[in-house]
Amino acid sequence: LKHQEFKLRPVSFSNDSCYLPPLRSPAICSFTSSSESEKRQYLIHGGKTPNNELSDKLYIITLVVKGINKKTTLCCTEKELVGDIPQARYGHTINMVHSREKCMAVIFGGRSYMPPGQRLTENWNSVVDCLPQVFLIDLEFGCCKSYTLPELQDGISFHVSLARNDTVYFLGGYILGSNSRPPQLYKLKVDLPLGSPSISCTVLPGGISVSSALVTQTGSDEFVIVGGYESETQKRMVCNTIVLDDNKIEILPRETPDWSGDIKLSKTWFGSDMGDGEVLIGIPGENKQAASEPYYFYIVNFRDDEDITQNCSQESTEDQDDSTPLEDSEEFFFDFDVDTYNEDDEDDESETGYWIKCCASCNIDINTWVPYYTTELNKPAMIYCSSGDG
């Protein structure tokens, strides 16, 4: 971020990383490795692939190195799962819970395609709510176990989840079966003794009706909910402060930021938490009368009770007509330390990609052609041959 200009910088993956496809609406959370208390890691589960298929894979992202030039290198590993493996889905949540010096991942909610017997040519892309099951995953061994709780009657998606110690709160969300966003609030408590885990669920009053909302943390036990939708045609323009205490959640009204006219008029918006009480919000450029960019971005700052909306421009060559339409939620995920952009930090990217020589005479100009996802030879990749052979 520099002079109200927003730039996306490339991130390199280490040579031992697995292939990570571009995913839409996966479940994402960050956690600290138990063996290395200072090592921040990230879980990515599910999501939609570019081929409109749903993923059931669990990836673990680790920050390998952050050099003096601020270039980030990540390592991505795929975790093999056994037991009650969650079906492929999107629009769900994943959280880490800690109990008795042990930790597990909790997966809940989301949407999936119709069962194979019901999925025909006419409804091939039709999705349904996932069953209201809770999944616990032991990250050390990859063991999964599913739980069916009587308090959870409906499958929900694009809900808010907040975790503190051994408790996860599920707030709001969208029920596809009834086409509704009920103001529901669930408290899920996980106990991890030496034997089998124990899960209990409590339905709490005082929830809010919202889907696809963004959450940022402003204190050790304080969060802010911003954005989202309260109906198919209405964005949720108000904000709430959420305070988590020992086995208690408090949802309070909060002063609404001074939204710009462009944000108020936009039909859709999306974004993500940037950490330290800031969220990034994007709107389609078509809302501008003279749209020169496909998207416009704003930063909302909730730190120190100061709600500041800052406009940022974006450098982009993406064609708006070719972009995939938004489906209830389109999210970025920022949780690394946000650095101030410095153009002097840029250096040669030619050695950070994965290059394939298609023929001996190929002479690709690496300054004009950049590979995005050719990280494994057994994965589909589009390459161009300079000798005209294909």
Side-chain angles (χ1 to χ4, degrees):
L1 299 172
K2 185 178 182 181
H3 303 311
Q4 292 191 347
E5 186 177 55
F6 169 65
K7 287 191 176 184
L8 298 177
R9 304 189 62 199
V11 175
S12 302
F13 284 89
S14 61
N15 291 332
D16 58 343
S17 290
C18 71
Y19 172 76
L20 178 66
L23 299 167
R24 294 183 59 215
S25 304
I28 305 175
C29 77
S30 64
F31 69 101
T32 302
S33 172
S34 57
S35 57
E36 301 178 60
S37 58
E38 298 298 324
K39 194 172 184 179
R40 179 69 64 176
Q41 295 180 300
Y42 300 83
L43 294 177
I44 301 178
H45 179 269
K48 276 190 175 183
T49 69
N51 293 329
N52 218 30
E53 297 173 347
L54 301 185
S55 170
D56 62 352
K57 299 184 182 301
L58 176 65
Y59 299 99
I60 300 179
I61 305 290
T62 305
L63 178 65
V64 177
V65 64
K66 196 167 188 177
I68 56 176
N69 61 350
K70 298 181 181 178
K71 181 183 292 184
T72 301
T73 301
L74 304 175
C75 179
C76 178
T77 57
E78 181 184 334
K79 188 66 179 179
E80 185 176 349
L81 303 178
V82 296
D84 302 330
I85 301 176
Q87 70 183 112
R89 62 188 67 201
Y90 72 104
H92 55 304
T93 57
I94 185 170
N95 298 92
M96 291 296 295
V97 291
H98 302 265
S99 171
R100 304 176 188 258
E101 300 183 353
K102 295 196 295 184
C103 63
M104 283 193 176
V106 178
I107 289 179
F108 177 67
R111 298 175 183 172
S112 63
Y113 286 125
M114 287 183 171
Q118 304 175 23
R119 196 181 180 199
L120 306 175
T121 303
E122 296 79 10
N123 58 11
W124 190 254
N125 289 323
S126 298
V127 294
V128 295
D129 293 320
C130 292
L131 294 176
Q133 294 176 314
V134 176
F135 294 87
L136 285 187
I137 301 179
D138 187 334
L139 293 181
E140 183 178 359
F141 303 103
C143 299
C144 305
K145 185 172 178 58
S146 64
Y147 296 83
T148 301
L149 305 173
E151 292 82 6
L152 300 173
Q153 294 293 319
D154 299 295
I156 59 175
S157 56
F158 298 106
H159 54 283
V160 172
S161 65
L162 297 170
R164 184 180 188 272
N165 298 332
D166 62 353
T167 305
V168 183
Y169 294 93
F170 301 124
L171 178 65
Y174 181 74
I175 299 178
L176 192 61
S178 61
N179 189 26
S180 62
R181 294 170 174 81
Q184 52 197 5
L185 176 59
Y186 301 104
K187 184 179 96 171
L188 192 75
K189 192 173 181 63
V190 181
D191 188 20
L192 302 176
L194 290 178
S196 299
S198 173
I199 293 184
S200 62
C201 182
T202 305
V203 182
L204 302 178
I208 57 177
S209 175
V210 65
S211 65
S212 303
L214 307 176
V215 180
T216 185
Q217 189 165 0
T218 54
S220 58
D221 300 314
E222 184 178 287
F223 302 81
V224 174
I225 289 185
V226 59
Y229 301 87
E230 56 187 30
S231 72
E232 289 185 3
T233 59
Q234 182 64 44
K235 304 194 307 296
R236 189 175 190 271
M237 308 298 293
V238 299
C239 303
N240 292 93
T241 297
I242 296 184
V243 180
L244 298 183
D245 204 344
D246 294 333
N247 299 319
K248 186 177 70 173
I249 181 172
E250 191 174 7
I251 303 176
L252 306 171
R254 187 184 184 100
E255 184 178 354
T256 303
D258 185 14
W259 301 118
S260 69
D262 297 319
I263 292 181
K264 292 179 180 178
L265 294 175
S266 67
K267 296 180 180 179
T268 61
W269 57 356
F270 56 94
S272 180
D273 178 25
M274 294 182 69
D276 295 329
E278 290 186 331
V279 295
L280 180 74
I281 292 179
I283 61 172
E286 60 187 9
N287 296 285
K288 298 268 191 178
Q289 291 184 352
S292 59
E293 299 176 0
Y295 299 103
Y296 287 84
F297 293 93
Y298 299 81
I299 293 176
V300 186
N301 179 12
F302 292 98
R303 289 176 296 184
D304 301 325
D305 293 328
E306 281 187 40
D307 296 339
I308 302 173
T309 305
Q310 177 184 359
N311 184 14
C312 296
S313 67
Q314 176 209 18
E315 288 190 354
S316 175
T317 57
E318 178 183 359
D319 187 352
Q320 174 76 3
D321 294 335
D322 294 336
S323 61
T324 306
L326 301 177
E327 182 182 356
D328 198 11
S329 175
E330 188 72 52
E331 300 179 357
F332 293 121
F333 188 79
F334 295 84
D335 204 13
F336 293 122
D337 295 332
V338 180
D339 291 319
T340 301
Y341 175 77
N342 187 347
E343 198 166 338
D344 296 335
D345 292 334
E346 297 286 4
D347 55 7
D348 184 15
E349 301 287 342
S350 61
E351 297 180 359
T352 63
Y354 296 80
W355 297 95
I356 302 172
K357 284 291 184 181
C358 57
C359 65
S361 60
C362 183
N363 187 25
I364 289 291
D365 184 355
I366 61 175
N367 295 315
T368 59
W369 185 83
V370 181
Y372 287 140
Y373 298 106
T374 56
T375 56
E376 287 184 3
L377 296 181
N378 62 346
K379 298 291 182 180
M382 185 76 80
I383 63 175
Y384 175 81
C385 182
S386 62
S387 63
D389 292 338

